[in-house]
Amino acid sequence: MTAADELLASCEGLLDQYEALCRELGEHHVNARLDEVPGSNSAFALVTHVAGVMARWGRTVNRGLPVPRDRDAEFRAAGTAEEVLALLARARRDLADDVRAARLGEPPVAPPPDQPDAYPTQGAVLLHVHEELAQHLGQLEVTRDIVLQRARRKAGQR
């Protein structure tokens, strides 16, 4: 197994958890936000954001393939449970392509102009993608916990 295979396997494990959490939230809660936490995001918004992160860094930065992105809109995104699962599936396929195309030890093709030296290799860029997936997974777990607890209380369950 190569380093790229290992990195991809770890990212896919994180994406498996995203999928499981979105399925658990289901249609009724995939767009729920934490009203008591200003600036919190729904599961749908977090998945939309990480899909944007993966595309920007894996494709645009590493490969030089422009991917249009509206970062602010990612956090306003909403949709159905089916749509969020389809988005995850597409993002997963695209990430696999991007990881397989990466030359881990070479510099990124289009480093971000605001941080040209922050990620000196394509491997470092992909580690950044992994870091973002892990960070936002934690946010999604907290969101799921609170949203479902709130729903149980509303339904009169403990």
Side-chain angles (χ1 to χ4, degrees):
M1 191 177 246
T2 68
D5 293 332
E6 291 171 342
L7 178 63
L8 182 57
S10 186
C11 287
E12 286 180 342
L14 294 170
L15 292 168
D16 287 344
Q17 293 177 67
Y18 276 86
E19 183 179 339
L21 289 165
C22 287
R23 286 185 188 285
E24 187 176 357
L25 285 164
E27 196 65 42
H28 297 293
H29 304 295
V30 75
N31 293 299
R33 295 177 185 269
L34 308 180
D35 298 330
E36 57 274 50
V37 181
S40 70
N41 297 295
S42 69
F44 198 101
L46 286 169
V47 168
T48 303
H49 175 63
V50 298
V53 165
M54 290 187 293
R56 175 174 191 259
W57 292 94
R59 223 158 310 124
T60 301
V61 172
N62 262 3
R63 300 175 69 187
L65 304 173
V67 176
R69 182 177 182 207
D70 182 346
R71 187 178 186 280
D72 291 337
E74 292 168 5
F75 295 108
R76 295 188 305 270
T80 66
E82 183 178 317
E83 289 169 332
V84 79
L85 295 172
L87 177 59
L88 269 171
R90 277 192 311 276
R92 179 190 297 258
R93 284 190 305 271
D94 291 344
L95 180 63
D97 290 343
D98 295 337
V99 170
R100 288 185 191 106
R103 300 196 186 306
L104 300 184
E106 293 183 16
V109 174
D114 58 330
Q115 336 172 27
D117 301 320
Y119 305 98
T121 66
Q122 292 181 31
V125 168
L126 292 173
L127 285 174
H128 175 63
V129 169
H130 186 275
E131 173 185 59
E132 289 285 322
L133 285 172
Q135 171 188 330
H136 292 300
L137 177 60
Q139 293 170 338
L140 181 54
E141 289 170 331
V142 169
T143 298
R144 182 262 333 254
D145 291 349
I146 294 171
V147 164
L148 293 182
Q149 180 184 47
R150 186 171 52 204
R152 283 190 297 272
R153 282 188 182 150
K154 191 174 181 179
Q157 304 170 352
R158 288 204 172 243

